[in-house]
Amino acid sequence: MPSRFTAAPWMAALLCPILVGCAPVQDFLDRSVPDLESVSQLNPADRVDRDDPFAGSPAEDYGEGFPVPEAEAVGSFTREQVEWSYAHTQELLEAVYLNQDAVFGEDNSELTGLLTGQTLEWYLDNLSNEDFELNSRHLPFNLTPGTAEPVGDEVRVDGWMRAEAARDDQGWDYLSVVTEYTIVHPVARPGHPVSTRLVTSHFGEVGFYEAGGEELEAAPMWARSVAPVHCLDEYTFTPLYDDEQPRGERARGLREDPYDRESLEDLEGCGAVKDT
C-alpha cells in the first residue's frame, strides 16, 4: 500500500479530512507457475464467473448497498439530526463506490453535488494541488480509465456505520458517523477474458458540524485499501490481473486476507494479499 495521504486543512476550526489511498497487491513471488498439463482451455487469469461473479468468495454472503441503522439521539444531536446524517453518509458512500460513472469513468459530479460549504470549497481548491499527498482526488474511488469494466451490475458490501459524539483537535464538538466496510467489485480488463474481484477495505468517518440552526455540514474523513492493484503513486487504482507482473512498489510482508478488515486497518506501505 502507498503511504498515508493527509489532506490540507480546509477549515481552521474543523478537523481536517484524512484521505488515504492504500493499495495492497498480490505477492507474485509466492505463486508457483502452473503445470502446463493441468491448464485447461479456459484462461486461468479469468477468475470471475460472469454468471455468478461472487461465487467461491466471502462476498457470496454480502448484501448490496450501505444499510442505515435506526437513529437515536447522540449527545447534543437530536434523533432527526442523526437520522439525516445516516442518510447523508449513505448517499456519500453510494456516490463514491456504487456509481459506475464515478468508479469506471472518473465522473465524480454526484459526490461533488453532496458536498457543501467549506468542505466543497476544500475539495474543489485542492483538485489541482501539486502536493500529491494533499490533493483532494484521494476522496473519490476511481479506477484508472481503460483498465477495468464491471462484470455484472452488482457490487457487494459488508460492514456497518454508527453515530457517536466527538470533539476535534480544535475543541469543536461534532457528530461522527463512523464507517467500516468491505466493498467488492467484480471487474474485467476491457476486451479480454481476464478478470478479478477488487476488494476495498474502507475505514473512517463522516464528521457532521453544526452550520447554523439545525443544519449540519458533512466532512468525509476516511481511508481505504484496495486489492489486487498495482502499487503506483497515482490518484486512481489500477487493477492487477493474474496475467500481469506488478508495477511500482513491490509487496512486502505476509499475505493478508483481503476480506479481513481488521488485519488491513493498520497496514502501511505496500502489503501482500491472498487471492480475492
Side-chain angles (χ1 to χ4, degrees):
M1 299 179 292
S3 59
R4 288 186 173 271
F5 308 126
T6 304
W10 53 270
M11 182 176 181
L14 300 187
L15 179 69
C16 62
I18 306 300
L19 309 177
V20 183
C22 303
V25 302
Q26 287 184 289
D27 185 359
F28 274 69
L29 299 178
D30 282 358
R31 293 184 184 170
S32 58
V33 178
D35 185 85
L36 294 178
E37 295 181 358
S38 67
V39 176
S40 70
Q41 294 180 348
L42 297 176
N43 186 346
D46 196 16
R47 306 299 297 271
V48 177
D49 184 341
R50 300 308 195 272
D51 297 322
D52 192 2
F54 304 98
S57 76
E60 279 188 296
D61 299 324
Y62 289 3
E64 297 182 56
F66 300 88
V68 174
E70 184 175 351
E72 298 179 357
V74 174
S76 62
F77 296 93
T78 67
R79 184 189 65 80
E80 289 76 19
Q81 288 178 312
V82 174
E83 184 176 47
W84 182 86
S85 299
Y86 277 150
H88 195 64
T89 299
Q90 181 186 54
E91 291 177 328
L92 288 167
L93 293 171
E94 289 175 348
V96 169
Y97 294 111
L98 304 187
N99 183 340
Q100 288 194 352
D101 290 337
V103 174
F104 296 93
E106 288 192 287
D107 179 359
N108 300 308
S109 57
E110 184 175 335
L111 170 64
T112 305
L114 295 171
L115 303 178
T116 61
Q118 297 190 64
T119 310
L120 177 59
E121 181 180 342
W122 165 84
Y123 177 74
L124 295 177
D125 286 349
N126 285 279
L127 284 173
S128 57
N129 195 317
E130 295 182 359
D131 188 324
F132 180 75
E133 295 187 354
L134 303 183
N135 192 291
S136 57
R137 290 184 62 192
H138 297 300
L139 182 59
F141 175 72
N142 299 142
L143 303 184
T144 304
T147 65
E149 61 185 10
V151 175
D153 56 5
E154 281 189 28
V155 177
R156 293 289 177 88
V157 179
D158 178 68
W160 48 265
M161 68 173 73
R162 69 169 185 267
E164 56 188 43
R167 177 169 293 178
D168 66 24
D169 293 339
Q170 304 296 324
W172 288 76
D173 294 327
Y174 69 100
L175 176 66
S176 170
V177 176
V178 182
T179 56
E180 186 172 311
Y181 289 99
T182 300
I183 305 109
V184 185
H185 290 85
V187 300
R189 183 189 295 139
H192 296 82
V194 177
S195 59
T196 190
R197 282 180 289 267
L198 282 183
V199 181
T200 300
S201 299
H202 167 103
F203 308 96
E205 66 174 343
V206 180
F208 291 90
Y209 289 82
E210 292 181 334
E214 293 291 314
E215 295 184 6
L216 299 175
E217 182 175 325
M221 300 172 274
W222 52 49
R224 64 172 64 97
S225 65
V226 184
V229 295
H230 295 277
C231 279
L232 303 171
D233 287 336
E234 55 188 9
Y235 303 114
T236 59
F237 293 95
T238 302
L240 173 58
Y241 298 102
D242 276 10
D243 64 347
E244 299 177 322
Q245 289 295 317
R247 291 180 283 121
E249 184 181 351
R250 282 282 183 173
R252 298 187 301 273
L254 299 176
R255 289 157 58 94
E256 301 287 352
D257 180 356
Y259 291 91
D260 183 358
R261 289 193 302 272
E262 184 176 350
S263 69
L264 298 172
E265 187 170 8
D266 297 322
L267 280 180
E268 295 183 0
C270 187
V273 297
K274 299 176 182 177
D275 186 28
T276 60

